[in-house]
Amino acid sequence: MSQHEIIRISAYQAELPVEGGEYCMALGKVISSALTTVVCVETNTNIKGYGEVCPLGSNYLPAFAKGVVPGLAELAPHLMGLNPLELGRLNSIMDSVLKGHNYVKSPVDVACWDILGKSTQQPLYRFLGGCYQRKLPLYFSLSSAPVGQMIEATKKARYEGYKQFQIKCNGNLEEDVERIRSICATREDGELFIADANQGWSQHEAISLVKTLIDVPVYIEQPCETLSACLAVRQVSSLPIKLDESIDSLQVLLDALAKQAMDVVAIKVSKVGGLTKAKQLRDICAAQNISMTVEDTWGSDIVTATISHLAASTPIKSMLNCSDLNRYMSRGVAVNAPEVEEGYLLVSDEIGLGIEPDWDFLGDPVFEYKNIT
């Protein structure tokens, strides 16, 4: 059998308008479009793997869409000739070459997982733990808006089959208490609501909120910026606490688990550097009986396909929900994206990630590095 070697890394970029015009979060964070980057890793055996990364603006996480290409330029020369199937070694080399910048490494890692699936003619979930369920429960994220508009959006999503809803708060304590209480009052049997502050409340505001809403059936997601502040909220809250932005590495996850800082955690692929590390965090959470949202920061078809394989291979009791990020964009970057049916993301049996980039839309590469030997 031929030895697989990386011979070329290229990147393509596209500006993706947000469906409906804009997406609003706490503290005035509004996004109307997102720059996504599709990375292609090519081998000497003529196999191409694909990954995608799409930071949610520049003020959400330490991730900068225009920083992806310069980061790839740092990494690419050190990856030529490596076997893309040796994923642990590949990640170790990326970490030694470029400290941090997980969002740059993520699409490279995912592309190499795609190569693994294609080289063995298997769907990716087989290598991530197997397929526990073929229909993955989705949550519907309600962009922060006047309460009446959010209730109407909830009704529409409910009609489409969604049973889990994320309420984007705006960081104003009084408004958010009313927002959460009013939307949760529409709850029907079997539905779940999560109020997401995106780090928008101070510690004392979050403590006040969880005490005020003690009678409301709602989860509270990332109430404060720091892990210590979120822990202080958890210690006085009778409501389940979910952590997201603050869980950005294996070490932080282990610290949060040791301190019993959360009931649920969001595992975001690009935030931790790709599928290799996301799988590590996923498996530890599953072993500790911590439920998860399996997702990514933002993105389109390739990101959603990546999420589907990681979510499908997550034990059922360990997965609260996952996300179809492609639905937030007015168009996608690939074909054969996972389909959505009545609030569920369907799992594909196509090999690898199961997608093919839309080259007519993506156009020419904005970056390319190839083995010159």
Side-chain angles (χ1 to χ4, degrees):
M1 181 179 294
S2 300
Q3 171 79 17
H4 298 283
E5 294 182 3
I6 297 174
I7 62 169
R8 187 193 312 263
I9 295 176
S10 51
Y12 305 78
Q13 291 185 324
E15 194 75 30
L16 301 179
V18 172
E19 185 70 30
E22 62 181 25
Y23 185 78
C24 303
M25 299 181 290
L27 304 180
K29 294 178 181 177
V30 179
I31 184 168
S32 58
S33 67
L35 180 65
T36 196
T37 303
V38 174
V39 172
C40 173
V41 176
E42 184 178 348
T43 73
N44 62 325
T45 52
N46 201 33
I47 298 176
K48 296 179 181 179
Y50 305 107
E52 180 188 8
V53 63
C54 185
L56 184 56
S58 300
N59 61 350
Y60 172 62
L61 290 174
F64 178 44
K66 293 183 179 179
V68 176
V69 168
L72 289 173
E74 290 288 320
L75 291 174
H78 302 274
L79 304 182
M80 296 299 111
L82 294 185
N83 187 336
L85 308 190
E86 296 182 353
L87 290 152
R89 181 166 178 256
L90 179 97
N91 275 270
S92 294
I93 290 173
M94 287 198 291
D95 288 342
S96 69
V97 170
L98 184 64
K99 295 295 183 183
H101 300 281
N102 287 337
Y103 66 103
V104 175
K105 302 167 188 174
S106 179
V108 177
D109 174 78
V110 171
C112 290
W113 277 91
D114 192 25
I115 291 171
L116 172 61
K118 290 173 177 175
S119 67
T120 56
Q121 296 289 293
Q122 296 291 324
L124 211 51
Y125 64 72
R126 293 250 166 87
F127 301 99
L128 292 167
C131 187
Y132 285 89
Q133 52 185 330
R134 306 205 66 83
K135 295 176 64 176
L136 309 168
L138 291 166
Y139 72 85
F140 188 95
S141 184
L142 302 163
S143 175
S144 183
V147 174
Q149 293 181 25
M150 296 182 76
I151 290 176
E152 286 303 311
T154 303
K155 291 179 179 177
K156 181 180 178 182
R158 181 180 289 131
Y159 178 78
E160 294 173 359
Y162 289 87
K163 294 183 179 298
Q164 300 192 41
F165 305 90
Q166 183 189 65
I167 304 167
K168 286 295 184 182
C169 297
N170 69 6
N172 181 297
L173 183 61
E174 290 185 6
E175 292 181 6
D176 286 337
V177 168
E178 178 190 359
R179 182 191 323 277
I180 295 166
R181 189 178 292 278
S182 298
I183 295 173
C184 289
T186 72
R187 180 181 180 274
E188 297 185 357
D189 289 346
E191 292 183 347
L192 181 145
F193 287 87
I194 302 172
D196 185 9
N198 288 121
Q199 314 171 77
W201 300 316
S202 64
Q203 181 176 313
H204 76 88
E205 287 176 325
I207 289 175
S208 174
L209 180 135
V210 297
K211 290 184 175 181
T212 302
L213 296 176
I214 191 171
D215 60 326
V216 177
V218 66
Y219 289 53
I220 304 298
E221 180 171 351
Q222 196 67 42
C224 310
E225 183 174 1
T226 66
L227 178 61
S228 60
C230 290
L231 176 59
V233 176
R234 165 124 162 88
Q235 289 171 339
V236 301
S237 176
S238 61
L239 303 175
I241 300 296
K242 175 182 172 183
L243 293 185
D244 179 0
E245 289 90 344
S246 59
I247 306 299
D248 58 5
S249 69
L250 176 60
Q251 187 56 53
V252 173
L253 174 66
L254 293 174
D255 187 31
L257 288 170
K259 294 175 178 175
Q260 297 184 325
M262 71 281 190
D263 302 284
V264 181
V265 63
I267 304 295
K268 289 183 171 174
V269 175
S270 67
K271 184 174 63 175
V272 298
L275 275 173
T276 300
K277 292 178 180 177
K279 181 181 183 299
Q280 290 177 340
L281 272 65
R282 189 274 309 269
D283 291 345
I284 289 172
C285 287
Q288 295 293 315
N289 293 315
I290 296 293
S291 293
M292 289 163 277
T293 292
V294 179
E295 59 178 348
D296 209 333
T297 305
W298 204 249
S300 181
D301 309 275
I302 301 175
V303 166
T304 298
T306 304
I307 291 168
S308 72
H309 287 280
L310 184 61
S313 59
T314 299
I316 294 174
K317 285 193 174 182
S318 298
M319 198 185 76
L320 184 67
N321 52 41
C322 66
S323 59
D324 168 27
L325 289 173
N326 191 49
R327 66 163 295 275
Y328 301 108
M329 304 301 186
S330 62
R331 68 150 302 147
V333 299
V335 296
N336 294 334
E339 296 181 0
V340 173
E341 181 181 281
E342 298 183 341
Y344 288 86
L345 188 65
L346 305 185
V347 180
S348 169
D349 281 326
E350 297 293 325
I351 64 171
L353 286 174
I355 53 83
E356 178 68 23
D358 183 346
W359 298 117
D360 289 337
F361 175 61
L362 290 171
D364 296 327
V366 296
F367 169 82
E368 184 176 62
Y369 189 94
K370 59 184 179 180
N371 199 335
I372 58 176
T373 59

